[in-house]
Every structure is written in structure tokens, then in C-alpha cells.
Amino acid sequence: MDSSTHSTFLCFFLLSALLFQHSLAARRLSAEVEKQPLTITYHKGALLYGPISVNLIWYGKFTASQRAIVSDFVASLYAGDYQNQKPSVSSWWTMAEKYYAQSKKAPPRLTLGDQILDEECSLGKSLKNSDIAALATKGRPQQAINVVLTADDVTVEGFCMSRCATHGSSPRSKKGRFAYIWVGNSAVQCPGQCAWPFHQPVYGPQAPPLVAPNGDVGVDGIVMNLASMIAGAVTNPFGGGFFMGPATAPLEAATACPGVYGKGAYPGYAGELLVDPTTGASYNANGADGRKYLLPAIFDPSTASCSSLV
């Protein structure tokens, strides 16, 4: 065997060995993927319980009517059905509470707490993640979900690029520990990404936008995203609660159902919704003071599917 033939044979042998190893690795990887549960499970971590105050921290300029839209939503979570108007915000919240049956603990009772105004933007109008965490400390230090809401002219790290909202938690301390949420008003910066279906989407199927139920695309978008984050903050407040996938990028109670608001939803179509005969606005939940809201579907771990109010 000459050197050329020997080299060719050696290359073939090495390539075959590499391909064989790659094939084995691929099969092992496939097997590991198949073992991953395709539903949301409880990871035995701490959960919220008892009375929980939802405190709203308004960062930047919001009108009184905008603040009322959001505060009425929070107040609606435990207010029952309104003059027998169904479906209601509280019936949506009941779907999220079902997760607690797996933990054998009673779900927390959420109530509207303090409203704190920072209209002058004490930390400036370009915020980092650390700034959001700092602003969240303005709320209560324990038995709380402190919600930071940023105005439409405030930029936040990752906003519009990779997220519309997020939730986290404070470090452990003698004062206690709280969960926090950040949601931005996307009306100016990225309504097609963070206020869809009330604005034309940036990507994907281009259907006409729906009419916002409270007449404010940015704030109705805030409510949709806030609802999703509250569901996540209650069921997975400190990173060891209910989720699917890696803990560093978990799919939670509502984020596991992106873009689903009614039955028959698919990319670019929010699903079958209720329509107000007077305003033409689309919604799926009735709230306090005659409010109407569009709330995301909740992932039902018992059926491994998304459940919506309508």
C-alpha cells in the first residue's frame, strides 16, 4: 500500500469513526430530549402564600385614566364575577391557582396595594436590569409583588429586543423577600411586538389589528403582559416553582402559551374572542367598574394544552 492510498484509507477510517461517534451522540441527545417532560411541573421550590400585596410603581408619566385601567385589573383578580358578567378576570385567575393543587398549599390572595409615583424618573430614562431591581424596592419588602411600570418614553435593557416584560425576586434578607415584575408601555417603541393584537405585527401574518378594549393600545398591552407576569411570579416566584424547560429560560403558566387568547388561535390570529357591540373592541374577560380586558391563555398541566376563557 503506497503512502497516498494509506493516507486516503486513514482519512476514511477517521471520518467513519467521527461519524459513528456523532451518530451515537445524536442518539443520546435525542434520548435525553425525549426524557424531558412536555408539560409544566413543580420543582419543589418556595411559592407565595397568604395575603400578597400587588404594589404598582409608576415610573414616568402616566395619566390618571391609564393608571385606573391597570389598577382596576389588579383589583379584579379576587373580586368575583361582576353583576354575573362572565367570563371574568377572577375566573381567569382561578385557572392559574390550579397549579397550587400540585404543591398541596393554598394559593395566595392577591390584593391591590400601594401605588407609588416616580414621574420625574429618578434613575433617568434609560434603565438597566439593576435599575428595575432597585425601583422594585420602593414597594413592600415582604408578602408582596412589586410591579414596576415604565412609561412609553423610558427605555429598558432588552425591551423590544428580547422581551416586553419580566419578573424576578429580591435577595433573601432579614426584612423578608418579595417578587417583582417589570412591564413597559410599548405604545411608542414597539407596539407591533408588545401590544399585538392591538397593533399590526412587525413580523409574520399581517392581519388587521383588533380594537383595544380600554381604548389605549399601550396600556391594554401592559395589562396583557402584566397578567402573564403575575401568573409566572405567583407560580414560579423564586426560580424553583412551576415551569417547563431549563430554569434559566423557563416556560411558565402563561408564557408557555404565547399569542393564544381564545379558541382556535394560531400565529397571527389571537383566537375567537368576544366583541363589544358598541365599541367593536375585542376582549375575553370582564373586570371591575365595567372594564374589559384581553388576557392570555393559561397552560393546563393536566392536559398539556393551553386553556383560554373563551
Side-chain angles (χ1 to χ4, degrees), residues 68-226:
I69 292 169
V70 178
S71 60
D72 283 347
F73 163 68
V74 175
S76 300
L77 290 169
Y78 264 90
D81 296 327
Y82 316 97
Q83 299 177 346
N84 293 320
Q85 287 188 312
K86 297 181 179 181
S88 66
V89 173
S90 61
S91 58
W92 172 82
W93 185 241
T94 298
M95 295 194 297
E97 287 182 325
K98 290 180 180 178
Y99 277 89
Y100 272 69
Q102 295 183 44
S103 69
K104 298 181 180 180
K105 296 180 180 179
R109 182 177 179 83
L110 306 186
T111 58
L112 178 63
D114 302 328
Q115 297 200 53
I116 301 161
L117 304 185
D118 188 344
E119 295 185 313
E120 301 305 317
C121 298
S122 59
L123 298 182
K125 291 191 175 184
S126 181
L127 303 180
K128 296 181 179 180
N129 291 333
S130 57
D131 296 322
I132 296 298
L135 288 170
T137 63
K138 291 177 177 286
R140 300 184 188 181
Q142 58 184 338
Q143 292 297 109
I145 300 176
N146 296 331
V147 181
V148 179
L149 300 157
T150 51
D152 58 13
D153 61 345
V154 176
T155 62
V156 176
E157 182 179 352
F159 187 31
C160 299
M161 302 295 290
S162 59
R163 59 183 182 170
C164 302
T166 191
H167 75 85
S169 60
S170 66
R172 296 179 183 274
S173 71
K174 293 181 180 179
K175 293 182 178 180
R177 197 177 189 189
F178 61 85
Y180 68 82
I181 291 170
W182 159 74
V183 187
N185 185 341
S186 66
V188 173
Q189 300 178 53
C190 55
Q193 292 163 282
C194 296
W196 180 87
F198 301 132
H199 191 279
Q200 201 82 11
V202 177
Y203 308 107
Q206 298 293 307
L210 304 180
V211 178
N214 295 285
D216 191 313
V217 169
V219 177
D220 276 300
I222 282 180
V223 172
M224 291 189 299
N225 294 314
L226 176 58

Side-chain angles (χ1 to χ4, degrees), residues 92 196-197 224 254-273 284 294-299 305-310:
W92 172 82
W196 180 87
M224 291 189 299
T255 56
C257 300
V260 179
Y261 297 93
K263 289 181 175 63
Y266 55 80
Y269 174 60
E272 299 175 13
L273 304 175
N284 62 7
L294 185 62
L295 305 180
I298 296 292
F299 188 87
S305 62
C306 298
S307 297
S308 58
L309 283 172
V310 295

Side-chain angles (χ1 to χ4, degrees), residues 198 211-216 220 276 279 281-283 291-294:
F198 301 132
V211 178
N214 295 285
D216 191 313
D220 276 300
D276 187 298
T279 64
S282 295
Y283 68 101
R291 297 282 188 194
K292 292 176 171 57
Y293 299 104
L294 185 62

